[in-house]
């Protein structure tokens, strides 16, 4: 049979994953779910085949994105897939295996795998992809990115779902509760990183702040086509991609405080944003035009996010990011896409005046409860420390900047905790808030995890020492395996399990026995860590629903003002959702011991 759907052994584990249902296309009898993308034609062929007697031939392409796509209802949102396809070409070509999906009209095209295919040979395209929840029209496709006309053959396509083995996080002391009296404990995650249930449960268990990894950066929000048609050369248009929506909705639904990241940055900001007519090859605009664009961009993003997610608890936003070199100088003018580290902002303005402008616009349009930050890395290198200090102090004294973000991408090689404290102490003298925004520590050659553990421990001792100045310590990612610095194993968890660094930073910390979970709307549950009952406090009538970590409702009921709930349930982690008659809502994690 051409299309095969088969069940792989449920206990064939790969880390914390096992394979489930899979689709297999061998094209031995028909093209089934496959069709042409764009003007391309697809048809069965016996001319080439990877296995069996036939393959799928793709021809009549007129654009690089033209190719072959597959539509099958078995491919579902909110799941992880391993996709493999074999391609054959008669001349070399850069072959690309990607997905297309949409959410509320916004379309995303995440890549699964890309590889150069060599003439007269079969090449496998294989990769793993996590599909965000609540997206639609999920369509894998294959294209040739460096040729509009190259013909190719496709064979032996497999689409395999990976199913998680759920982790019991109740055995891990929650970091956010341990550090409740010191500062928030945060993390960063992209849409794909929060889709797995283990990731959601981990974030809800350990963290009370989340920074979108990429979803609020300019290249994720700016829409070139709409800017050209509706932007009047000064009003860049923005939209929320399916990935951005997934992260924002996760934070809103679970009442997780969120940091916005970032408005003004030399990186991940498309060059067309700085060009006349928003054209890819247009001339660079004047600083007068760019100032209008900057103001409108900041205003449009804030309005779009806050109106689309009115209950989203945004408490901080990085306004400007990484304007200094390690020597403490402004970046050189030019495109970061042409030479890494150059800045189109400096190219347009010729000086640093765009920085203060950005903070002026942010203060103008952000709700007053959202604090503004300047964020940078290598902040502990002396000359850069001084540059950051001078900038932030100037902006803070003018009431424009509320704090400094110390990214803290460190290594076991450099810096030492003592060197790091020099910068921390200097920033503390400004009087502004300090947030550790992107903490990770790579293990360098010649060093061990013991060295990493030691440095993490020393840093957290510093953070506790400066707790009156620090409101957040955030790790940049959840697990070593999906870190942007994965090679150096930089985080305190691996495969959702604690490392020595986790044990070190909780050493000597006491878990509150009567931990409170208090929302801004006044709904309280006490205690959230219990071996018996819990009490819900809410002004007026309310309903509650208690669910297991896999979403099964185990208890539900109603109350008025306060209610003692007897938790006659097995030990484990649960989520309690309380909704008042006024529409207020709080979602609380309950740990039954």
């Amino acid at each position: 049979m051409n299309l095969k759907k088969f069940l792989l052994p449920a206990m064939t584990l790969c880390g914390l994953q096992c394979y489930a249902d899979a689709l297999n296309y061998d094209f031995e009898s028909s093209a089934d779910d496959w069709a042409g993308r764009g003007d391309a034609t697809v048809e069965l062929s016996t001319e080439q085949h990877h296995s069996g007697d036939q393959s799928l031939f793709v021809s009549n392409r007129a654009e690089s994105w033209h190719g072959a796509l597959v539509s099958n209802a078995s491919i579902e949102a909110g799941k992880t897939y391993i996709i493999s396809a074999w391609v054959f070409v008669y001349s070399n070509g850069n072959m690309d295996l990607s997905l297309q999906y949409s959410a509320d009209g916004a379309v995303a095209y995440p890549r699964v795998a890309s590889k150069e295919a060599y003439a007269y040979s079969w090449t496998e395209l294989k990769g793993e992809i996590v599909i965000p929840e609540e997206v639609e029209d999920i369509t894998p496709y294959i294209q040739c990115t460096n040729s509009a006309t190259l013909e190719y053959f496709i064979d032996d396509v497999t689409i395999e779902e990976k199913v998680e083995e759920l982790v019991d996080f109740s055995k891990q002391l929650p970091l956010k509760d341990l550090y409740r009296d010191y500062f928030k404990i945060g993390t960063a995650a992209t849409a794909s990183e929060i889709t797995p249930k283990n990731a959601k449960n981990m974030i809800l268990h350990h963290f009370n702040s989340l920074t979108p990894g990429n979803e609020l950066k300019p290249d994720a929000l700016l829409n070139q086509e709409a800017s050209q048609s509706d932007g009047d050369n000064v009003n860049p248009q923005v939209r929320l991609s399916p990935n951005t929506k997934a992260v924002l909705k996760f934070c809103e639904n679970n009442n997780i405080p969120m940091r916005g990241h970032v408005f003004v940055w030399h990186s991940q900001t498309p060059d067309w944003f700085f060009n006349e007519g928003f054209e890819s090859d247009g001339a660079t605009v004047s600083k007068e035009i760019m100032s209008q664009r900057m103001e409108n961009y900041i205003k449009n993003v804030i309005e779009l996010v806050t109106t689309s997610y009115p209950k989203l608890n945004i408490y901080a936003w990085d306004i400007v990011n990484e304007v200094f070199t390690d020597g403490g100088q402004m970046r050189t003018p030019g495109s970061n896409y042409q030479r890494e580290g150059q800045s189109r902002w400096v190219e347009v303005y010729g000086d640093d005046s765009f920085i203060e402008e950005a903070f002026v616009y942010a203060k103008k349009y952000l709700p007053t409860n959202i604090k503004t930050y300047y964020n940078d890395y290598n902040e502990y290198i002396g000359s850069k420390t001084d540059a950051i200090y001078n900038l932030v102090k100037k902006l803070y004294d003018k009431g424009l900047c509320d704090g400094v973000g110390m990214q803290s991408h460190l290594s076991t090689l450099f810096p030492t905790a003592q060197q790091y404290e020099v910068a921390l102490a200097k920033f503390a003298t400004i009087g502004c808030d300090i947030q550790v925004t992107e903490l990770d520590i790579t293990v360098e050659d010649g060093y061990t995890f013991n060295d990493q553990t030691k440095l993490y421990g020393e840093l957290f001792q510093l953070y506790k020492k400066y707790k009156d100045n620090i409101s957040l310590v955030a790790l940049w990612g959840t697990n070593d395996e999906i870190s942007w610095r994965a090679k150096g194993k930089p985080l305190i968890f691996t495969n959702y399990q604690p490392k020595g660094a986790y044990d070190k930073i909780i050493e000597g910390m006491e878990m509150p026995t009567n931990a409170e979970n208090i929302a801004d709307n006044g709904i309280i549950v006490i205690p959230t860590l219990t071996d018996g009952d819990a009490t819900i406090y809410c002004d007026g009538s309310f309903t509650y629903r208690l669910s297991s970590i896999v979403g099964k409702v185990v208890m539900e009921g109603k109350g008025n003002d306060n209610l003692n709930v007897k938790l006659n349930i097995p030990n484990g982690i649960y989520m309690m959702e309380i909704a008042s008659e006024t529409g207020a809502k709080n979602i609380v994690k309950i740990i039954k011991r």
Side-chain angles (χ1 to χ4, degrees), residues 132-143:
E133 294 178 336
E134 300 184 22
V135 300
E136 302 174 323
D137 303 323
I138 304 164
T139 308
Y141 63 90
I142 298 173
Q143 62 184 358

Side-chain angles (χ1 to χ4, degrees), residues 46-336:
T46 59
E47 186 175 336
Q48 296 294 337
H49 47 84
H50 180 254
S51 68
D53 298 316
Q54 293 191 136
S55 64
L56 189 71
F57 180 52
V58 183
S59 60
N60 295 324
R61 299 174 62 244
E63 301 283 348
S64 61
W65 63 271
H66 292 178
L69 59 81
V70 57
S71 299
N72 188 296
S74 297
I75 305 171
E76 300 178 15
K79 293 186 176 181
T80 301
Y81 291 91
I82 293 179
I83 305 178
S84 171
W86 290 86
V87 295
F88 181 96
V89 292
Y90 286 121
S91 58
N92 295 357
N94 294 331
M95 303 305 298
D96 182 272
L97 169 62
S98 295
L99 287 189
Q100 174 179 323
Y101 48 68
S102 62
D104 299 328
V107 183
Y109 306 91
R111 177 173 294 165
V112 180
S114 182
K115 186 182 294 185
E116 183 175 5
Y118 294 103
Y120 294 95
S121 63
W122 284 94
T123 300
E124 184 182 24
L125 304 174
K126 185 175 183 179
E128 180 178 319
I129 190 162
V130 181
I131 303 177
E133 294 178 336
E134 300 184 22
V135 300
E136 302 174 323
D137 303 323
I138 304 164
T139 308
Y141 63 90
I142 298 173
Q143 62 184 358
C144 177
T145 57
N146 68 334
S147 172
T149 58
L150 181 71
E151 299 175 335
Y152 49 91
F153 300 84
I154 302 171
D155 203 1
D156 292 334
V157 180
T158 60
I159 304 173
E160 302 171 345
E161 180 192 346
K162 288 177 65 176
V163 180
E164 295 178 271
E165 181 184 25
L166 294 181
V167 172
D168 181 4
F169 288 103
S170 66
K171 298 178 181 178
Q172 303 174 15
L173 293 177
L175 292 171
K176 64 182 177 60
D177 293 337
L178 289 170
Y179 279 91
R180 182 184 61 178
D181 295 331
Y182 292 88
F183 34 71
K184 283 184 170 66
I185 296 289
T187 190
T190 62
S192 62
E193 291 169 356
I194 64 168
T195 297
K197 289 186 176 65
N198 278 326
K200 290 186 176 69
N201 293 337
M202 180 189 197
I203 292 170
L204 294 173
H205 184 70
H206 281 296
F207 304 109
N208 52 7
S209 174
L210 187 126
T211 305
N214 289 305
E215 287 75 8
L216 289 179
K217 292 175 180 175
D219 61 355
L221 298 172
L222 284 164
N223 187 311
Q224 183 177 17
E225 182 178 351
S227 297
Q228 291 174 332
S229 59
D230 302 319
D232 296 325
N233 203 40
V234 295
N235 191 15
Q237 301 298 294
V238 295
R239 55 90 176 97
L240 300 178
S241 71
N243 289 344
T244 302
K245 292 178 180 180
V247 175
L248 300 186
K249 188 170 184 178
F250 173 71
C251 290
E252 183 181 57
N253 287 348
N254 293 284
N255 196 33
I256 300 175
M258 195 196 81
R259 298 187 81 255
H261 177 74
V262 57
F263 286 126
V264 174
W265 191 24
H266 69 280
S267 182
Q268 289 186 243
T269 304
D271 277 342
W272 61 260
F273 182 55
F274 302 92
N275 295 343
E276 285 288 352
F278 301 109
E279 295 288 347
S280 297
D281 56 355
T284 301
V285 299
S286 67
K287 63 181 181 180
E288 290 76 20
I289 294 294
M290 200 66 226
S291 291
Q292 295 179 69
R293 290 186 180 184
M294 185 202 305
E295 179 175 5
N296 285 325
Y297 172 72
I298 291 173
K299 174 175 67 72
N300 292 345
V301 171
I302 293 169
E303 289 180 351
L304 180 60
V305 171
T306 56
T307 57
S308 300
Y309 299 90
K311 296 181 180 179
L312 181 62
N313 180 12
I314 308 173
Y315 73 99
W317 211 305
D318 291 328
I319 309 306
V320 179
N321 200 45
E322 302 175 0
V323 299
F324 297 114
T325 66
D326 288 348
Q329 305 300 316
M330 293 295 297
R331 293 184 176 276
T332 57
S335 168
N336 184 68

Side-chain angles (χ1 to χ4, degrees), residues 1-27:
M1 183 177 178
N2 175 54
L3 169 61
K4 300 175 183 177
K5 185 174 183 179
F6 54 91
L7 186 65
L8 295 172
M11 294 306 294
T12 305
L13 294 182
C14 175
L16 293 173
Q17 308 283 349
C18 61
Y19 295 110
D21 288 340
L23 300 171
N24 176 269
Y25 296 91
D26 56 24
F27 306 112

